[in-house]
Amino acid sequence: MAAVLIGAIAFSWPLFLRPESGMSATQAPILFATVLPMVLAIVLSEVAGGRMDAKVLAMLGVLAAVGTILRPLSAGTAGFELVFFLIILAGRVFGAGFGFALGAITLFTSALITSGVGPWLPYQMLSAGFVGLFAGLLPRAQGRWEVLLLAGYGMVSAFAYGWVMDFSFWPFGIGNETQISFDPHLGPLANLHRFVLYNIATSMGWNLGRALTNAVMIVLLGVPLLRLLRRSARRASFVPSSSPAPSLAAQPSSQAC
């Protein structure tokens, strides 16, 4: 809940504050300093709640490393990005907290190796974290219905990711003399209308490419990867025995007196 609240404030503030308030110059560093401790707090909360153990933490590191490798292999041309379908599948299997941590860590580490560090990075970490978080909150489904559910979510989350990332820089991205630019003198609804027009005009193709990539990858690889991840999740669970082993004193003697 705290992550959702922080994200809502971080992305929606231009609707309520003017750019000349000085918030634009300080928001990215403040947000970055907030996101990293929040990811750590979520991981510690999952560990304390028994939803993560050492093996699940190791799986978090492995999946983050795989996502870090996949991201530069798919440079985002025409929205072709391979990192999000893995975040969605892992969030589905391991839960919302794991999904948020995986999304944020993957975007952070991949930015380090691709020289993608900038004021946009904390927004990318939050947005990718939300992709994994809400994947862990999807309703139950089985078989092909689960794959279809995840593919549909992959398309919706792809557009949502593009929308919030566009909104994070839209107030400062273009001049204020067009019909699709941010106007601090207008109300929130009028600016939202302008943003929708801006997003359709500039980013619809990229968002559609990302959505189709997610859906195709989940349909093609969803079943085997879900099976693999769930097998790993089962092996990572430490289930206490339902009944204690009988003691030596309670065992009947095998030799007659």
Side-chain angles (χ1 to χ4, degrees):
M1 183 60 70
V4 175
L5 179 61
I6 292 174
I9 295 174
F11 286 107
S12 65
W13 73 268
L15 296 177
F16 308 102
L17 295 177
R18 295 185 177 183
E20 58 265 26
S21 64
M23 189 68 177
S24 60
T26 60
Q27 186 183 5
I30 293 175
L31 185 60
F32 186 75
T34 303
V35 171
L36 288 180
M38 183 170 59
V39 173
L40 179 60
I42 289 175
V43 172
L44 292 178
S45 175
E46 293 289 300
V47 172
R51 293 176 294 274
M52 279 191 188
D53 56 24
K55 293 184 179 179
V56 176
L57 285 174
M59 180 60 68
L60 176 62
V62 170
L63 292 176
V66 173
T68 301
I69 295 172
L70 287 177
R71 194 179 179 203
L73 294 179
S74 54
T77 304
F80 179 69
E81 294 178 281
L82 294 175
V83 67
F84 292 103
F85 86 95
L86 183 62
I87 296 173
I88 292 170
L89 295 177
R92 173 68 172 179
V93 173
F94 292 100
F98 185 100
F100 182 89
L102 177 62
I105 293 172
T106 300
L107 269 291
F108 175 70
T109 54
S110 62
L112 293 180
I113 68 171
T114 59
S115 301
V117 178
W120 54 84
L121 179 56
Y123 297 98
Q124 291 178 329
M125 294 171 63
L126 266 181
S127 301
F130 288 144
V131 171
L133 184 148
F134 289 111
L137 300 177
L138 292 174
R140 292 186 177 183
Q142 294 182 346
R144 64 176 181 177
W145 294 112
E146 182 179 32
V147 174
L148 292 177
L149 173 67
L150 293 175
Y153 172 76
M155 298 190 71
V156 173
S157 63
F159 280 98
Y161 177 88
W163 291 335
V164 296
M165 284 305 303
D166 283 351
F167 195 79
S168 67
F169 68 84
W170 167 65
F172 321 102
I174 57 178
N176 57 6
E177 298 180 356
T178 69
Q179 295 299 315
I180 59 174
S181 58
F182 176 79
D183 188 342
H185 303 289
L186 297 179
L189 292 179
N191 272 317
L192 278 177
H193 175 70
R194 287 188 167 210
F195 172 72
V196 170
L197 297 178
Y198 164 81
N199 188 266
I200 292 175
T202 61
S203 303
M204 182 59 66
W206 293 82
N207 294 338
L208 181 61
R210 185 184 302 111
L212 292 177
T213 300
N214 285 348
V216 170
M217 296 302 295
I218 291 173
V219 169
L220 292 179
L221 301 178
V223 172
L225 283 180
L226 286 172
R227 187 182 301 117
L228 176 63
L229 292 174
R230 282 179 174 140
R231 187 181 301 117
S232 302
R234 286 195 297 269
R235 289 177 178 175
S237 299
F238 297 102
V239 181
S241 177
S242 57
S243 60
S247 63
L248 292 177
Q251 293 179 354
S253 175
S254 60
Q255 297 180 353
C257 294

